[in-house]
Amino acid sequence: MPTSLEKLQDMRRKAVFRVFEKKFVVPVRITVGSATCENAAGATDVYERFRQLMEKHSGLDVVLGKVGCAGRCDLEPMVTVVAHGHIPVKYMRVTPEKVDRIFEEHILHGKVIEDFTMRRSAGLYNAQRVVTLCAGKNCFEKHAPEIEKAFLENIQRLGLSDRIIITRSACQGLCQHGPVAYVYPDGVMYQKLTPEIVKEICEEHLAKNHILGKYVWSGERLTNRSFPFFGDVYFFGKQLRLTLRNCGVIDPESMDEYLSVRGYEAIAKILTEMNPQQVIDIVKKSGLRGRGGGGFPTAQKWQFAAAQPGTEKYMICNADEGDPGAFMDRSMIEGDPHTILEGLMIAGYAIGACKGFVYIRAEYPLAVSRLEKAIADAKALGLLGDNILGSGWNFDIEIRLGAGAFVCGEETALIHSIEGSRGMPTQRPPYPAISGLWGKPTVINNVESLANLPVIILDGPDWFSSIGTEKSKGTKVFALAGKVANTGLVEVPMGTTLREVVFDVGGGIKNDKAFKAVQTGGPAGGCLPAEYLDTPVDYDSLAAAGSIMGSGGMIVMDEETCMVDVAKFFLDFTQSESCGKCTPCREGTRAMLAILQKITDGKGEDGDIEKLEQLGKIIKNASLCGLGQCAPNPVLTTLKYFGHEYKAHIYDKKCPAGVCSALLTYTIDPEKCVGCTACKRKCPVHCITGDPKKVHTINQEDCIKCGTCLTVCKFDAVTKS
Amino acid sequence: MENDKKNTTCCCSCSSPDTLPKEIVQYINECMQKPHSESYLIPVLHKIQNYFGYLSPCYLEEVAQLMRIPAAKITGVATFYHLFSFTPRGKNRISVCLGTACYVKGSGKILDKFKERLGIKENETTPDGQFSIECSRCFGACALAPVVVVNDKVYGDVKPEQVDKILADYGFKK
């Protein structure tokens, strides 16, 4: 009898054969991004155009495929062209018209159109090779100057400067083997570099194309596997993509492609070699903490549920991504749904669950349909259902849709929602791990936590725990949005500073405006000012600064964002999402919101700040669930770090950022006004007077502060203060 | 048999044309065969809303009969979740995202513009039944903020000036 692992390996061989026959050995592979965000940006038209062109040029050795979101949403739709032996090319903001040119010049004639790629990588595609040096803290920083210098000197000496490009990447998690360098497109990782080895590599490999096997790291990591297909090496900056390892690389709707990147090997391995307790011990050793926000050690949660008697236990994947400004779960499920299923199976096996549920937002139709397809494909191959891979273990997964209630992200509320009731939290203890769904032991893990599990099983807990900080292991995915240049999804090792995320990966503030704050943790989190930019991103450091890690929303705010208004926005959100069960949350948030409304309406008075602080503390201490306990956070942190803005609103009746319309006055500068009548004609309430070619004035009593005059004036004569 | 009561006309004064279609009744019957059948209430409500565009009290009454769940509980559940609507929505459903990223980038102004142009408030439908406006809390397309979704089409990076153009795409005339 073959073991589960052998069965899976056989399955993979066949899958790889099918994929290879279809794909990686053909000279050119074109992939078009396909996710909610990509499609909104026009990816479906782009795909369709490529399909038409390929039909027209039948017989070309080119394949066209779809991949999930690669994370750089501001550059979508994206097209990657991988040609054997060449550096992968990523085209940005592709339109059907650009497709015509890409097809004609690149696909048919092999000429990369650099104008359509990221500007930073100009010259990259003329290069023969790219050498990427790991710039992680452990290996690179100690040896950085000498290794990089050695490469640069030798390349120059050998006259290869225009053919070789040297770049840096984030920690590749190969710290014991460092310093390491990855050579593109050969797909070779050199380890334990010294200036002497670098000299040899330059002379033999880079100049004469002889790969030096003796220095090559021969191991394999899930994360490094897809490295050659990412394309543009600048694109990912200081990221380390563990959970997003397949997003933007494989076709999310293809079981074969997932199997070919060692998919379902982790579950096959544990079914063959381990008992549930061993799985729990491995995860315990890895130090994985819940990525949904709380940061509770995953293995500990499992241990509680595993210790309960009985065979009816449930495993739930929480994909009810309710935080406004967070889209990690959507992207992960849309880009790599099988990883989530595999993670759920691993967790289910560890706690001895009979069934798994994925509770997902109904607002994510594409993610739901990909998950449905993944479940059906897995069942068809015997990877899900009864007697999985011949192991005798049964596990089924069912999808349950949310219906637009933020509070259902809370564990007990989520359970009630699956049970078909109103999603209202209940008192803990008992914790769900003891008494959860239908009163049975239940573990709820977040999407990202589950996506880490195959990595931990296959690459080992020691390796996993070598990434990150002492108390926060691994990586964290952030949804970077707001007033930042590069918006999208980023995954960085824990301990990376906020500054590195916002400025290095995020590219800084849009339009060169001044940075004001970064908001982490969604409506339950806090706003941190510039002084805290060097805070390392990990559970404890963010908590110490008054914010939380949360699920990973990270919204950047610039000088034009009013912090009182932002606090009001979040409170308005939590207030309307409060389920109404406990008084502090239901009434307290309402009272706080009323005060904030008063302040932004210009009616703030002495004592309001104190009232806000007092109410905030009460709500934090007395609320039943996490929603209420965290609801005051945005107000309390903005009061702490941006108290002066509150004071300006209350005492000076001014909104320094120019956002709160009740506190603004629009005036016309008589020096600049030429009397063109544009503002007078456009004013919706006709409160501007003045004859043509004479200075106009705004009647402040009637002005509704809509800002139309400011927008239409071509002479900068209207000022807002 | 509960099913026998089905061919009567609507019990209340709402405008819903008929009783639940066969496929939904069949789906409910399938759910009733499964363990914890009451847990399928929310999926059933989703199916009804997808079919009719909203939940009328008569449908809920029928669900109560078929699923053997008190109508009061069903109303409680249906009113708890934001996605369920009790009034018919417009033929074209405009959802303006008011999630953080969109809000910071000024989606409030876009909402105001839609309201002004259509002469309705959020969660209302134009008298001709063509348009309704909803506010949404994040579609997860934050990088494209501000985002407006009309039916299933996502518009990214929307500016207030584009509102007229978007409305024109769906045949709106001033």
Side-chain angles (χ1 to χ4, degrees):
Chain A
M1 268 287 280
T3 64
S4 301
L5 192 56
E6 284 161 354
K7 278 190 179 172
L8 191 271
Q9 280 161 346
D10 183 51
M11 230 176 241
R12 181 165 75 224
R13 265 192 294 278
K14 287 175 187 152
V16 169
F17 177 74
R18 284 191 294 266
V19 171
F20 264 61
E21 192 183 44
K22 243 167 67 191
K23 286 200 177 145
F24 298 140
V25 286
V26 295
V28 182
R29 178 190 188 220
I30 306 169
T31 53
V32 181
S34 166
T36 301
C37 40
E38 292 265 15
N39 292 349
T44 35
D45 296 341
V46 168
Y47 184 85
E48 186 51 28
R49 188 77 196 135
F50 268 117
R51 208 190 50 75
Q52 288 168 1
L53 287 168
M54 302 226 337
E55 228 164 56
K56 217 167 108 189
H57 295 81
S58 58
L60 273 183
D61 227 357
V62 174
V63 279
L64 178 64
K66 287 182 182 173
V67 293
C69 168
R72 278 297 297 278
C73 311
D74 55 322
L75 302 174
E76 287 167 352
M78 251 179 305
V79 169
T80 310
V81 179
V82 185
H84 190 68
H86 292 271
I87 291 159
V89 182
K90 263 198 157 55
Y91 289 114
M92 323 284 164
R93 297 197 184 102
V94 180
T95 58
E97 294 72 44
K98 285 186 180 176
V99 170
D100 291 345
R101 272 193 62 195
I102 292 170
F103 202 85
E104 175 66 29
E105 293 176 35
H106 188 167
I107 309 299
L108 296 180
H109 296 101
K111 190 176 161 289
V112 177
I113 308 171
E114 291 204 13
D115 289 352
F116 297 168
T117 63
M118 261 171 88
R119 220 182 317 146
R120 274 167 81 177
S121 35
L124 175 69
Y125 303 110
N126 295 329
Q128 199 177 15
R129 284 194 177 88
V130 178
V131 178
T132 306
L133 302 175
C134 173
K137 284 191 175 62
N138 289 339
C139 71
F140 193 69
E141 273 180 9
K142 292 173 202 148
H143 314 276
E146 59 188 61
I147 299 297
E148 195 165 30
K149 201 170 130 226
F151 266 111
L152 288 171
E153 277 177 5
N154 283 295
I155 285 168
Q156 198 169 19
R157 179 172 59 81
L158 296 162
L160 297 170
S161 300
D162 53 342
R163 280 190 279 158
I164 311 284
I165 286 186
I166 309 277
T167 66
R168 293 182 186 188
S169 73
C171 172
Q172 290 302 313
L174 296 173
C175 310
Q176 304 100 307
H177 309 278
V180 295
Y182 187 81
V183 184
Y184 231 28
D186 312 72
V188 172
M189 183 78 84
Y190 284 111
Q191 61 171 340
K192 295 182 178 154
L193 296 175
T194 61
E196 293 71 42
I197 296 178
V198 170
K199 180 167 174 274
E200 217 179 317
I201 291 171
C202 290
E203 285 169 356
E204 291 300 315
H205 186 167
L206 302 186
K208 295 183 199 153
N209 302 324
H210 296 152
I211 293 172
L212 293 168
K214 56 184 168 174
Y215 302 126
V216 173
W217 174 68
S218 58
E220 192 185 353
R221 292 253 189 272
L222 274 184
T223 37
N224 301 111
R225 210 183 155 82
S226 31
F227 204 67
F229 302 106
F230 277 153
D232 202 319
V233 283
Y234 292 99
F235 188 79
F236 294 100
K238 283 195 171 170
Q239 297 194 53
L240 172 60
R241 293 164 70 93
L242 248 63
T243 58
L244 296 174
R245 61 193 179 275
N246 295 327
C247 289
V249 177
I250 64 165
D251 179 347
E253 295 184 10
S254 161
M255 171 64 102
D256 281 349
E257 290 202 17
Y258 183 65
L259 283 173
S260 73
V261 291
R262 296 177 75 190
Y264 292 106
E265 189 181 321
I267 183 72
K269 184 176 162 163
I270 64 168
L271 286 176
T272 311
E273 299 169 0
M274 295 176 209
N275 62 36
Q277 188 56 45
Q278 286 170 311
V279 180
I280 297 177
D281 290 341
I282 286 184
V283 174
K284 194 174 185 177
K285 208 172 165 201
S286 76
L288 179 68
R289 293 169 70 174
R291 299 291 194 250
F296 192 79
T298 305
Q300 208 173 325
K301 222 186 211 180
W302 291 3
Q303 193 76 69
F304 288 141
Q308 296 306 305
T311 49
E312 194 185 340
K313 296 178 189 175
Y314 297 98
M315 185 63 222
I316 300 174
C317 167
N318 183 352
D320 189 49
E321 185 173 51
D323 282 12
F327 50 96
M328 304 74 57
D329 296 353
R330 173 185 67 71
S331 242
M332 265 183 230
I333 295 173
E334 283 177 0
D336 190 15
H338 286 288
T339 289
I340 312 305
L341 297 184
E342 193 179 353
L344 194 57
M345 290 166 76
I346 294 168
Y349 180 78
I351 66 161
C354 54
K355 190 166 180 181
F357 289 92
V358 181
Y359 185 84
I360 182 170
R361 293 181 87 196
E363 289 93 330
Y364 290 171
L366 185 64
V368 173
S369 74
R370 288 203 171 146
L371 211 47
E372 280 169 349
K373 184 174 188 309
I375 291 176
D377 288 351
K379 279 186 181 164
L381 275 180
L383 290 164
L384 205 54
D386 288 344
N387 192 16
I388 293 169
L389 289 166
S391 65
W393 184 60
N394 308 331
F395 192 70
D396 197 6
I397 296 178
E398 199 178 306
I399 298 174
R400 288 298 175 96
L401 296 188
F406 174 68
V407 71
C408 288
E410 199 276 340
E411 291 194 331
T412 56
L414 189 153
I415 286 171
H416 295 312
S417 184
I418 292 185
E419 289 171 342
S421 303
R422 290 162 72 94
M424 289 163 114
T426 36
Q427 181 81 43
R428 295 183 307 179
Y431 286 92
I434 313 290
S435 170
L437 192 60
W438 297 303
K440 302 295 175 192
T442 304
V443 169
I444 301 176
N445 281 151
N446 165 269
V447 171
E448 193 185 333
S449 312
L450 294 175
N452 274 304
L453 297 175
V455 182
I456 293 172
I457 300 292
L458 291 183
D459 290 342
D462 296 324
W463 174 73
F464 184 85
S465 61
S466 72
I467 301 161
T469 64
E470 198 196 332
K471 285 185 177 164
S472 306
K473 301 298 187 190
T475 57
K476 180 75 193 91
V477 179
F478 289 98
L480 200 55
K483 310 275 184 83
V484 66
N486 308 338
T487 51
L489 218 56
V490 303
E491 182 170 357
V492 292
M494 296 269 191
T496 308
T497 63
L498 286 170
R499 187 186 301 280
E500 285 173 295
V501 176
V502 175
F503 289 90
D504 293 349
V505 183
I509 309 297
K510 230 173 178 170
N511 305 328
D512 291 327
K513 295 250 163 63
F515 171 90
K516 186 186 259 183
V518 55
Q519 208 278 347
T520 66
C527 297
L528 300 177
E531 302 91 272
Y532 283 81
L533 271 175
D534 291 312
T535 306
V537 173
D538 63 61
Y539 296 101
D540 312 290
S541 306
L542 284 174
S547 186
I548 59 165
M549 175 85 91
S551 60
M554 193 182 272
I555 312 240
V556 179
M557 298 168 188
D558 68 5
E559 55 194 316
E560 288 180 349
T561 315
C562 167
M563 300 315 286
V564 184
D565 184 59
V566 164
K568 190 180 85 178
F569 165 81
F570 280 117
L571 208 63
D572 181 41
F573 180 86
T574 39
Q575 191 269 325
S576 66
E577 293 294 340
S578 169
C579 79
K581 186 169 178 170
C582 69
T583 320
C585 173
R586 183 185 66 238
E587 300 299 327
T589 52
R590 189 177 280 264
M592 281 180 88
L593 183 63
I595 297 174
L596 286 174
Q597 187 64 49
K598 208 173 77 176
I599 295 174
T600 53
D601 282 347
K603 295 171 188 152
E605 53 197 330
D606 202 26
D608 279 349
I609 291 180
E610 291 73 17
K611 268 188 214 156
L612 282 174
E613 281 171 341
Q614 196 192 2
L615 275 165
K617 276 180 199 140
I618 294 171
I619 297 170
K620 261 179 108 105
N621 291 331
S623 292
L624 179 64
C625 80
L627 187 142
Q629 287 157 10
C630 297
N633 281 352
V635 181
L636 294 178
T637 53
T638 46
L639 273 173
K640 184 171 166 194
Y641 298 123
F642 300 95
H644 53 279
E645 288 197 27
Y646 282 83
K647 284 182 187 142
H649 281 72
I650 295 171
Y651 301 108
D652 310 336
K653 305 291 176 210
K654 276 194 180 120
C655 174
V659 173
C660 300
S661 54
L663 297 171
L664 299 177
T665 40
Y666 289 91
T667 42
I668 295 173
D669 184 350
E671 302 274 307
K672 286 183 181 164
C673 179
V674 297
C676 74
T677 75
C679 56
K680 186 181 167 187
R681 279 180 284 122
K682 292 281 177 184
C683 176
V685 290
H686 308 293
C687 73
I688 301 178
T689 48
D691 294 326
K693 298 194 178 162
K694 298 254 169 69
V695 171
H696 284 43
T697 48
I698 299 172
N699 179 354
Q700 295 299 339
E701 277 184 16
D702 294 339
C703 176
I704 57 163
K705 288 141 186 177
C706 67
T708 305
C709 47
L710 181 75
T711 326
V712 296
C713 183
K714 291 187 180 125
F715 304 96
D716 294 332
V718 181
T719 50
K720 182 169 80 167
S721 62
Chain B
M1 283 293 286
E2 287 87 347
N3 285 11
D4 295 341
K5 296 177 193 161
K6 242 172 47 62
N7 25 20
T8 50
T9 47
C10 174
C11 54
C12 67
S13 56
C14 75
S15 57
S16 58
D18 39 34
T19 48
L20 290 178
K22 232 188 250 166
E23 60 258 45
I24 293 182
V25 173
Q26 198 192 334
Y27 176 73
I28 295 176
N29 288 335
E30 282 167 19
C31 293
M32 293 305 286
Q33 306 299 318
K34 297 182 191 168
H36 304 294
S37 59
E38 73 289 350
S39 76
Y40 290 91
L41 175 58
I42 293 169
V44 166
L45 295 180
H46 270 300
K47 280 226 185 281
I48 298 172
Q49 172 141 321
N50 285 347
Y51 190 91
F52 293 105
Y54 74 112
L55 302 173
S56 98
C58 334
Y59 305 142
L60 298 187
E61 186 75 32
E62 213 180 327
V63 171
Q65 304 259 353
L66 290 169
M67 294 189 78
R68 299 184 191 109
I69 298 173
K73 186 188 170 178
I74 297 185
T75 311
V77 170
T79 50
F80 183 81
Y81 296 95
H82 304 306
L83 282 187
F84 297 127
S85 163
F86 298 92
T87 47
R89 287 181 291 186
K91 193 177 148 217
N92 298 301
R93 286 161 42 210
I94 298 166
S95 298
V96 181
C97 181
L98 291 184
T100 319
C102 290
Y103 184 78
V104 169
K105 285 190 163 182
S107 63
K109 282 188 180 155
I110 293 162
L111 175 65
D112 290 344
K113 190 98 176 182
F114 273 113
K115 280 158 59 177
E116 181 214 316
R117 283 291 187 267
L118 294 171
I120 52 171
K121 295 201 190 91
E122 49 265 58
N123 301 322
E124 287 183 356
T125 307
T126 51
D128 62 0
Q130 288 298 304
F131 292 93
S132 54
I133 304 180
E134 290 153 35
C135 300
S136 148
R137 300 288 198 193
C138 198
F139 292 100
C142 313
L144 304 168
V147 171
V148 172
V149 178
V150 184
N151 303 330
D152 284 331
K153 186 166 165 56
V154 182
Y155 291 86
D157 207 5
V158 178
K159 294 178 180 62
E161 302 88 84
Q162 286 168 282
V163 165
D164 286 327
K165 165 86 181 57
I166 293 173
L167 285 173
D169 286 350
Y170 296 87
F172 177 74
K173 293 181 197 87
K174 268 181 236 174

